[in-house]
Amino acid sequence: MNVERDTVSLGSFEFESGETIPELEVAYEAYGEFDGDNAVLVCHALTGSQHVAGQHEESGTAGQARAWWDDIVGPGKAIDTTEYYVLCANVPGSCYGTTGPSSINPETGEPYATDFPAVTVGDWTEAQRGLLDELGIPHLHAAVGGSVGGMNVLEWAKRHPDHVRRIIPIGAAARLDPQVLALDAIARRAITTDPNWNGGDYYGEDHPGPEYGLGLARQLGHIMYLSKASMERKFGRRSAGRDAARWFPEDPAASFFPYRDVESYLDYQAEQFVDRFDANSYLYLTRAMDSYDLSAGFEDDADALAAFDGEALLMSFTADWHFTPAQAEALAESMREAGVDVAHHVVDSDHGHDAFLVEPENVGPPLASFLADGVDGTAVTDTADDVDEESQYAPVHTSLFSD
């Protein structure tokens, strides 16, 4: 697989907030060969990177060694790099090569820290459009993304409706609900109340950084990404092994009680995460996700998508309470109202929000069919009559998912 890894400077960049930085660098990876009409943009999720597929010969893309969607992107896979030119760009505000809070401000010679402008999903989209312009890619065959990456995809249809033919938001919605907003707020407060956050100025050898705060934020995230059924299956109430080491400080009484598998898992995830991600970036990116509203600037969601005359495939997962099937169906209904040719496919899964990452056998077939043939040639069930508006569950099955 032909892989291109590079960083492109877009020069001075103005954010939606009205603030400007002198130079925005965008890190990206691209796979396959561009033939003028086969570009597929993959939009990564919250803490993902541009390293979407393949092997990285060094320690990983800016710290993320494992390609996050390698089961979906590659030769002969659902997003086939022998057919499509696949591009993934790290978003502004992140810490994997694109300019963000941990980047050096050329005007001061110091990290931006919290002087970095607030970022929005719209800013991500405009940075991606700028990157495509630099690479000589006038339009997209498709844009696909999961979670907040799906919101990024929706913003492409809203801002650049003439430049993308097909969109595939997976495990996404037009906006977050209050429960998720509340949990994200707690995650941010875990970071900003860590004494080592130091007002965001923790860069350099003399500052350890808010490791416990960032670790707690990551643990909350993992709980949101899993379902009750998947947590019961993975952990139950089992105690961790004798060799399991606690990462967080514990109260004196803790030694009397079992240290459970689920605690050990969360501690491991936190410890690994703080080694690869920046706390300020976590604050910036969750703010961008929480503030996203497809209808902003328009009367409603349908009005926001009225100019898009392409096709859409929405995918949701029955046990996902972060972005529910009911939210996806509301989005699909807005698309129908706007005249968009859309299919909404609900995957029967108990994995929760993580299903779009861990179930390639369910995500891949409808995705591949839609990329090749659009809605008419895609063997998925349009769920307009199947999603119960009073419930997040929609038990829809198709032959694609039979054993």
Side-chain angles (χ1 to χ4, degrees), residues 92-131:
S94 189
C95 54
Y96 288 134
T98 294
T99 310
S102 60
S103 303
I104 299 298
N105 181 346
E107 295 180 342
T108 66
E110 300 290 336
Y112 280 101
T114 54
D115 287 336
F116 194 76
V119 298
T120 66
V121 174
D123 292 324
W124 300 352
T125 307
E126 293 310 303
Q128 291 161 345
R129 179 65 267 176
L131 172 64

Side-chain angles (χ1 to χ4, degrees), residues 222-240:
H222 270 283
I223 294 169
M224 285 193 283
Y225 305 151
L226 299 172
S227 67
K228 279 184 175 292
S230 64
M231 293 187 78
E232 178 64 32
R233 184 177 63 252
K234 287 167 70 75
F235 311 113
R237 291 176 53 83
R238 295 185 299 274
S239 297

Side-chain angles (χ1 to χ4, degrees), residues 53 69 125 143 237 288 333 341 389:
W69 227 15
T125 307
R237 291 176 53 83
E333 187 55 40
D341 197 2
E389 292 183 358

Side-chain angles (χ1 to χ4, degrees), residues 26 33 41 63 125 234 260 281 326 361 402:
V26 178
E33 301 289 344
L41 176 69
T125 307
K234 287 167 70 75
R260 301 189 187 278
S281 283
E361 70 280 6
S402 59

Side-chain angles (χ1 to χ4, degrees), residues 41 53 55 97 106 159 174 195 233 247 259 271-272 280 289 298 313 315 351:
L41 176 69
Q55 300 296 319
R159 287 175 175 257
R233 184 177 63 252
W247 189 63
Y259 179 54
E271 186 176 12
Q272 295 296 307
N280 281 334
M289 177 174 64
F298 293 83
L313 171 65
M315 297 185 68
H351 271 109

Side-chain angles (χ1 to χ4, degrees), residues 2-58:
N2 181 48
V3 181
E4 177 184 355
R5 298 183 177 95
D6 206 349
T7 300
V8 167
S9 174
L10 301 184
S12 177
F13 187 86
E14 183 177 355
F15 293 82
E16 275 197 276
S17 65
E19 294 187 71
T20 301
I21 60 173
E23 182 180 32
L24 177 67
E25 292 190 333
V26 178
Y28 72 94
E29 290 192 12
Y31 317 86
E33 301 289 344
F34 182 53
D35 67 10
D37 196 40
N38 68 335
V40 174
L41 176 69
V42 176
C43 301
H44 67 74
L46 189 71
T47 61
S49 75
Q50 66 274 28
H51 186 38
V52 66
Q55 300 296 319
H56 202 291
E57 295 177 357
E58 300 174 3

Side-chain angles (χ1 to χ4, degrees), residues 188-199 209-215:
R188 285 190 295 270
R189 288 166 186 166
I191 293 172
T192 58
T193 57
D194 186 317
N196 289 330
W197 183 60
N198 195 37
E211 291 188 351
Y212 286 137
L214 180 58

